[in-house]
Amino acid sequence: VAYLTCNGSPPVDGKPSLMTFDEVTTLFHETGHGLQHMLTKVAHAPAAGISGVEWDAVELPSQFMENWCYDPATVYDAGMAKHYETGEPLPRDLFGKLCEQRTFQAGMGMIRQLMFGALDMRLHHTYDPRGEQTPFELQHELAERYAVLPPLPDDRFLCSFGHIFAGGYSAGYYSYKWAEVLSADGFAAFEEAGLEDESAIVALGRRYAETVMGLGGSLPAAAVFKLFRGRAPTADALLRHSDLA
């Protein structure tokens, strides 16, 4: 059994609940987790579905699903992109702008996540709390490599970086960006097959269901990805999807 508990925009002034694009993307994201749980082919519970999946790949199925929100055939053919009263479809130019905003300041966002991942790993792996360098000095050291704008001298961002102390991402924050590499490369397989080629998409979708969705934690994440993609992952698709290549 899988269930998603979601918060969406409530009905207002007698109108039905109308989801924002961000809410639709979030629903697709969480549905990815639900599908991995429901499509498992593993009988051993600790390794079935979402259980036992390495942290590196936990967000692969969810982030993969977000890509379909930017696929015109998915959005329009499913009847999502239309006015709830008139049935008029969303103008294509507006949908194009939704797709364009996806890459707005993508470079800034990427180096921000890379810095957070590097800072998390350094703090948990090599940082010596008994040494002379403070955590804030380490932050500034890494900012020289990753940040476009250096943090202010009295910046205390680390005091609120709850992910790596109380949020379950200790020495694991890197997985956010790594999962994007996996999900983008996985979706690229469908792009290469031809998003308009229904039979090719169905065949590839079945392989995706049998590997990424079906094998759970029964095999190492790298092995599962290679069974689907036929090779190890690369960052090429992520850079292309981010308009950085």
Side-chain angles (χ1 to χ4, degrees), residues 14-210:
K15 297 180 180 179
S17 173
L18 300 174
M19 300 176 72
T20 66
F21 185 72
D22 282 346
E23 288 173 341
V24 172
T25 305
T26 299
L27 181 59
F28 270 63
H29 177 105
E30 301 305 339
T31 298
H33 289 304
L35 286 173
Q36 186 178 34
H37 186 64
M38 292 185 288
L39 296 176
T40 187
K41 295 181 177 297
V42 180
H44 187 53
I50 59 177
S51 300
V53 177
E54 294 170 67
W55 206 252
D56 293 30
V58 143
E59 294 296 330
L60 165 56
S62 53
Q63 292 185 356
F64 169 84
M65 285 294 293
E66 292 182 28
N67 290 286
W68 297 106
C69 294
Y70 298 91
D71 174 50
T74 300
V75 173
Y76 283 93
D77 293 351
M80 295 188 293
K82 65 181 182 181
H83 194 279
Y84 80 101
E85 289 179 321
T86 67
E88 182 181 358
L90 177 73
R92 294 282 176 156
D93 63 320
L94 292 182
F95 180 71
K97 291 180 179 180
L98 281 174
C99 294
E100 289 175 1
Q101 61 82 32
R102 187 185 190 188
T103 60
F104 179 68
Q105 292 193 339
M108 293 285 287
M110 185 170 293
I111 59 175
R112 179 177 182 268
Q113 289 296 86
L114 291 174
M115 177 177 169
F116 288 174
L119 181 57
D120 168 43
M121 194 62 73
R122 285 281 297 275
L123 285 172
H124 285 95
H125 181 52
T126 61
Y127 177 72
D128 183 1
R130 295 164 295 185
E132 296 182 359
Q133 187 181 44
T134 69
F136 305 111
E137 288 171 342
L138 174 60
Q139 175 192 352
H140 282 262
E141 175 193 323
L142 290 174
E144 292 179 5
R145 177 180 181 185
Y146 291 99
V148 175
L149 297 174
L152 295 173
D154 58 350
D155 184 288
R156 291 298 181 266
F157 155 76
L158 272 174
C159 294
S160 62
F161 197 8
H163 278 78
I164 66 171
F165 296 109
Y169 280 84
S170 303
Y173 195 88
Y174 74 92
S175 63
Y176 273 112
K177 185 54 64 178
W178 180 242
E180 288 185 43
V181 171
L182 298 177
S183 62
D185 200 357
F187 188 74
F190 289 81
E191 294 175 319
E192 293 162 10
L195 293 175
E196 303 301 325
D197 188 336
E198 186 71 19
S199 59
I201 293 301
V202 169
L204 190 58
R206 291 190 184 281
R207 188 163 86 230
Y208 181 77
E210 292 169 358

